[in-house]
Amino acid sequence: DAGITQSPRYKITETGRQVTLMCHQTWSHSYMFWYRQDLGHGLRLIYYSAAADITDKGEVPDGYVVSRSKTENFPLTLESATRSQTSVYFCASSRDRGFEQYFGPGTRLTVT
Amino acid sequence: GQQVMQIPQYQHVQEGEDFTTYCNSSTTLSNIQWYKQRPGGHPVFLIQLVKSGEVKKQKRLTFQFGEAKKNSSLHITATQTTDVGTYFCAVGGGGGSYIPTFGRGTSLIVHP
């Protein structure tokens, strides 16, 4: 029972490069979310998806792109990474709206 | 988006002492969820409250939803070192807003 997985777990990239963070869940949950976690800011929502091919912006979407062609996958792409995007990124899924979220282990991204 | 304030930001306690964290909103909430994140880990769902005045218990943890559905508290009785971590509330807004907003969390440090 894999649940929800993220890859890579750690990533170092240079400013200006494109990088994609992967998220995969095995529960067929409808909702999926991307958060970034920085000291002093808690968890901030970047994008979320209610179903395949349905995505919407969260609190801090600038500089990020998402897609959801399949229910189980929700990749997050940084089109041109900046140092301010250095953070820990968590993916989460939820059975339906208003239900509890299950978080992946996180990806620690460093942009140099 | 929904605004939520969580206090205190940090709390140091001696093992065996009680601990309480509060989550406050200026608007009526449809529900509130509580999560725990251990150091280096990912947030893990603890509980959801939906009814005015609701009180739920999980062993030494007591969760309460305010009568006006604008605030909530998490109380831990007789803390243990295993309680160390950051506790987050996540609030859903009224009117059917189903995308939760996370508070900044309260970090609990338990001294043995």
Side-chain angles (χ1 to χ4, degrees):
Chain A
D1 184 3
I4 182 164
T5 57
Q6 294 183 235
S7 62
R9 295 292 314 278
Y10 302 90
K11 176 73 176 179
I12 301 174
T13 192
E14 295 178 341
T15 299
R17 291 196 179 263
Q18 182 182 83
V19 59
T20 296
L21 309 183
M22 304 301 293
C23 179
H24 176 79
Q25 52 106 352
T26 61
W27 297 305
S28 298
H29 282 173
S30 297
Y31 281 83
M32 296 188 75
F33 307 82
W34 274 107
Y35 295 90
R36 60 177 291 172
Q37 185 172 40
D38 307 287
L39 274 175
H41 288 279
L43 290 157
R44 291 185 290 175
L45 182 64
I46 304 171
Y47 271 96
Y48 67 96
S49 168
D53 297 322
I54 300 175
T55 62
D56 208 347
K57 296 178 181 179
E59 179 187 355
V60 289
D62 294 343
Y64 303 94
V65 174
V66 293
S67 62
R68 196 169 176 205
S69 58
K70 293 184 177 181
T71 299
E72 61 266 30
N73 297 323
F74 191 37
L76 175 73
T77 297
L78 288 66
E79 294 188 298
S80 179
T82 65
R83 289 196 182 91
S84 65
Q85 293 177 310
T86 292
S87 186
V88 178
Y89 291 86
F90 287 103
C91 176
S93 72
S94 176
R95 178 160 46 120
D96 203 342
R97 62 188 207 179
F99 282 76
E100 66 269 25
Q101 295 185 40
Y102 294 87
F103 284 78
T107 295
R108 183 174 294 277
L109 176 68
T110 301
V111 182
T112 62
Chain B
Q2 187 72 39
Q3 298 293 319
V4 57
M5 178 173 290
Q6 196 172 347
I7 54 172
Q9 188 175 0
Y10 299 95
Q11 183 77 57
H12 290 255
V13 300
Q14 289 295 131
E15 189 173 17
E17 292 182 338
D18 292 356
F19 160 78
T20 304
T21 175
Y22 301 89
C23 190
N24 300 309
S25 170
S26 58
T27 60
T28 303
L29 305 171
S30 59
N31 62 65
I32 189 163
Q33 299 172 348
W34 285 94
Y35 293 79
K36 176 184 178 181
Q37 183 178 21
R38 287 198 163 98
H42 58 275
V44 175
F45 174 77
L46 294 175
I47 210 158
Q48 176 165 274
L49 306 172
V50 296
K51 298 178 183 177
S52 169
E54 189 171 14
V55 178
K56 288 188 176 180
K57 293 189 176 184
Q58 290 180 351
K59 297 184 180 178
R60 294 178 294 103
L61 278 61
T62 301
F63 304 85
Q64 188 164 5
F65 204 3
E67 293 290 341
K69 299 184 74 174
K70 290 184 176 181
N71 56 71
S72 179
S73 63
L74 158 58
H75 179 83
I76 302 178
T77 303
T79 55
Q80 300 175 358
T81 54
T82 54
D83 295 325
V84 165
T86 301
Y87 293 83
F88 292 97
C89 63
V91 301
S97 172
Y98 53 87
I99 303 304
T101 299
F102 280 79
R104 294 189 176 187
T106 296
S107 293
L108 173 63
I109 301 99
V110 180
H111 298 278

